[in-house]
Amino acid sequence: MSITIENVKKQFGSFQALDNISLNIETGELIALLGPSGSGKTSLLRIIAGLENLDEGVILFDGENITEINAKERNIGFVFQHYALFKHMTVFDNVAYGLKVRPRKSRPSKKEIANKVHTLLSLVKLEHFANRFPNQLSGGQRQRVALARALAVEPKVLLLDEPFGALDAKVRKDLRRWLRKMHNEFHVTSIFVTHDQEEALDVADRIVVMNKGRIEQVGTPEDVYDHPNSPFVYDFLGNVNLFKGRLKNGQLVHGNYTGPVDEGFTQNDVEAIGYVRPHDIQIERTAILEDMVPAKIIFIHAIGPIVQIELHRQDVDEYLEAELSKEHFRSLKLQRGEQIYIRPKQLKVFIPEDFSI
Ligand code: ATP
């Protein structure tokens, strides 16, 4: 089922929660709606579900306008943050529920229902928990039941609102795998809301980055992480160092640093900010390249495969963060307090006045 969202607007009182949202979702895609609190993710999900009315715009399922069709008839499966399992029903009955309440004509036989529930429970590795009640399960297990329950009715669209939000980091990671697995198995068009960048980058086919009721960027995880099209997306999708300087003759000048910028800038002698991810900071013991500037090592966090290094640039009196692989770190034999030389390997420049920053 493909989903098309065209020029959707939604206002709550005088507050514009969604401001002209347009988006195409292909059949079978797993899409993450990612953005800070209040950016409109849940409102958009609820509008797709038919749980919220829109003020303007249309929603199409497989090209058919379903804007006026009510939620029940949209054939959507839901998974919410707070496990909405029926407390008084066993795991089996929870998963079977959507099938059992179907009108007699379309209801599968008891045996068919049992087979389906067992297949789903074995997919989420809970086949031995069929007779338990929700309060006898962990949070992660409950969300797996919720996932199985949502899929039991073979929805055309699966909507998940911060499905793993209430769980601890390790369980969240585990559940991401489940979501991906179930998605691959059922190939149902799925949209999940999250404010967790790592979760979105890890699971989604494409990410829709939202900010203040608008879409900032849509793309694959690689697109949005490696080629953010705005300072907001850069900032929101990971750690970043800022080189706040000026654009002069096609170069960014920031303190003693002068380096090339992408082509396409016609402005000259204007304020410009270079964005650099920590792993794009090159560190050397000597200034082997012309655009290297000195910096002092303030702190080294060497736990795990990636070593984080806090640096201080004396020329501009600013701090930055660099990341190296442990091997590279060892080969450089870096010590706290030492002076080294740095340069951005990759620098994305934005002109503040283009983005009202
Ligand atoms: P969060 O991550 O915090 O859930 P979100 O991106 O999902 O945020 P929404 O829940 O869509 O954001 O809310 C967007 C804005 O609309 C918020 O400022 C919210 O307060 C407002 N809003 C949402 N629902 C209503 C409502 N029923 N009445 C009034 N304002 C609302």
Side-chain angles (χ1 to χ4, degrees):
M1 170 86 78
S2 68
I3 302 174
T4 309
I5 298 158
E6 278 177 9
N7 308 107
V8 165
K9 292 189 181 175
K10 176 72 187 175
Q11 218 163 319
F12 292 110
S14 61
F15 180 77
Q16 193 76 43
L18 295 174
D19 189 4
N20 218 16
I21 299 280
S22 293
L23 178 67
N24 282 312
I25 299 171
E26 304 283 330
T27 303
E29 269 196 300
L30 176 51
I31 294 284
L33 299 181
L34 173 70
S37 184
S39 56
K41 309 177 296 288
T42 297
S43 301
L44 182 56
L45 199 76
R46 287 175 58 80
I47 283 174
I48 296 169
L51 298 171
E52 191 78 68
N53 292 324
L54 41 72
D55 299 336
E56 280 180 48
V58 288
I59 308 278
L60 312 172
F61 280 4
D62 270 348
E64 189 190 329
N65 188 341
I66 51 97
T67 317
E68 301 299 327
I69 293 187
N70 75 34
K72 277 196 178 141
E73 284 159 45
R74 291 192 189 187
N75 197 3
I76 283 174
F78 290 103
V79 181
F80 295 107
Q81 172 168 357
H82 294 289
Y83 347 97
L85 298 180
F86 302 115
K87 291 192 181 94
H88 59 287
M89 287 187 195
T90 61
V91 165
F92 180 96
D93 288 335
N94 263 284
V95 178
Y97 179 79
L99 296 170
K100 282 186 177 170
V101 297
R102 276 192 180 163
R104 192 174 287 275
K105 263 199 308 194
S106 57
R107 195 187 313 154
S109 69
K110 267 193 165 170
K111 194 161 175 238
E112 283 166 333
I113 293 179
N115 284 342
K116 179 146 213 180
V117 172
H118 286 300
T119 306
L120 281 160
L121 287 179
S122 75
L123 274 172
V124 292
K125 288 272 183 290
L126 288 172
E127 59 269 53
H128 302 304
F129 292 69
N131 294 324
R132 288 209 190 170
F133 287 90
N135 67 2
Q136 297 170 317
L137 300 176
S138 71
Q141 289 165 340
R142 277 181 237 171
Q143 282 309 65
R144 273 147 64 190
V145 176
L147 208 50
R149 189 180 64 171
L151 291 166
V153 294
E154 294 177 19
K156 292 197 172 139
V157 175
L158 181 64
L159 301 180
L160 308 102
D161 194 355
E162 298 270 2
F164 317 137
L167 304 163
D168 69 51
K170 193 158 183 325
V171 180
R172 287 176 79 112
K173 236 180 173 157
D174 216 31
L175 279 168
R176 285 183 214 163
R177 230 176 2 99
W178 287 109
L179 174 60
R180 191 76 244 181
K181 180 171 177 300
M182 300 298 273
H183 180 82
N184 291 346
E185 200 91 24
F186 289 84
H187 217 60
V188 50
T189 310
S190 308
I191 308 176
F192 77 102
V193 161
T194 181
H195 61 264
D196 179 338
Q197 314 84 299
E198 200 186 307
E199 192 159 281
L201 291 167
D202 214 28
V203 179
D205 294 321
R206 283 194 302 154
I207 298 178
V208 177
V209 185
M210 295 187 65
N211 181 27
K212 295 183 183 155
R214 290 168 181 257
I215 292 179
E216 286 269 343
Q217 189 169 357
V218 182
T220 62
E222 294 76 18
D223 281 341
V224 292
Y225 187 81
D226 290 330
H227 307 289
N229 65 6
S230 70
F232 173 83
V233 178
Y234 226 113
D235 232 356
F236 196 69
L237 280 173
N239 291 340
V240 71
N241 296 296
L242 303 186
F243 282 41
K244 287 188 181 176
R246 290 187 85 74
L247 204 58
K248 288 194 174 157
N249 306 319
Q251 308 255 76
L252 178 73
V253 181
H254 177 230
N256 291 340
Y257 171 81
T258 301
V261 301
D262 293 344
E263 70 287 351
F265 284 106
T266 48
Q267 301 96 321
N268 193 26
D269 204 17
V270 292
E271 242 185 273
I273 307 179
Y275 284 66
V276 193
R277 295 257 185 247
H279 60 258
D280 282 327
I281 298 272
Q282 181 176 351
I283 297 183
E284 301 292 347
R285 293 209 146 270
T286 51
I288 57 169
L289 291 163
E290 215 174 276
D291 59 354
M292 297 202 100
V293 285
K296 191 171 169 187
I297 299 178
I298 300 297
F299 203 78
I300 298 172
H301 306 259
I303 296 164
I306 302 294
V307 178
Q308 288 165 333
I309 301 180
E310 277 178 44
L311 300 162
H312 180 246
R313 268 178 66 185
Q314 297 93 327
D315 60 329
V316 284
D317 190 19
E318 284 176 16
Y319 291 88
L320 19 150
E321 191 184 316
E323 281 177 2
L324 299 180
S325 69
K326 198 150 231 168
E327 282 166 16
H328 191 193
F329 168 72
R330 283 192 183 130
S331 71
L332 284 171
K333 297 191 171 67
L334 300 178
Q335 301 283 338
R336 191 167 159 177
E338 274 186 304
Q339 178 175 288
I340 43 89
Y341 292 85
I342 61 135
R343 68 183 278 276
K345 282 186 277 187
Q346 220 188 122
L347 179 99
K348 173 88 179 170
V349 171
F350 294 104
I351 307 287
E353 64 186 37
D354 292 348
F355 291 92
S356 54
I357 45 174

